[in-house]
Amino acid sequence: MGKLTTHVLDTALGKPAAGLKIEVWGAGLLKTIVTNSDGRADAPLLEGAAFTTGQYELRFHAGDYLRGLGLKLNEPLFLDVIPIRFGIADAAQHFHVPLLLSPFGYSTYRGS
């Protein structure tokens, strides 16, 4: 059974990004979650019948997370909401879409 998961790591602080809001979009808003103390969702973002082939977008609300850390950052922030768009061709597979985050950059990849 396929599923979609994510993990957010704060590379500036060297720790998981706890408390970061993530929206899961397909044809519309499918789900909103907040990362746990390990920077992960408590369950797959999508799985089973809810996880189908098509285009998806994860919207990571990095600005709210960064402001919540109490860091002295310029406004407007360089990064606020980070959209990651990707396609699912085989919904029977596990797709892991992590985000590595700092106040001035991010990266992602298809993980396992």
Side-chain angles (χ1 to χ4, degrees), residues 9-57:
L9 297 173
D10 183 327
T11 58
L13 297 178
K15 64 179 192 173
L20 191 145
K21 182 172 100 173
I22 303 168
E23 296 174 340
V24 182
W25 289 78
L29 179 62
L30 303 174
K31 182 184 276 188
T32 301
I33 66 101
V34 175
T35 57
N36 62 23
S37 63
D38 195 34
R40 300 176 186 272
D42 289 328
L45 300 174
L46 297 172
E47 65 182 331
F51 188 51
T52 60
T53 60
Q55 296 290 320
Y56 291 91
E57 181 174 295

Side-chain angles (χ1 to χ4, degrees), residues 4 15 19 29 31 33 44 50 58 66 73 77 91 96 102 109:
L4 174 63
K15 64 179 192 173
L29 179 62
K31 182 184 276 188
I33 66 101
L58 298 179
L66 293 167
L73 299 167
L77 295 178
H96 184 68
S102 81
Y109 55 93

Side-chain angles (χ1 to χ4, degrees), residues 8-12 62 66 78-80 82 99-108:
V8 185
L9 297 173
D10 183 327
T11 58
L66 293 167
F78 181 69
L79 295 173
D80 193 3
I82 300 171
L99 183 73
L100 306 176
L101 171 67
S102 81
F104 299 102
Y106 68 91
S107 65
T108 190

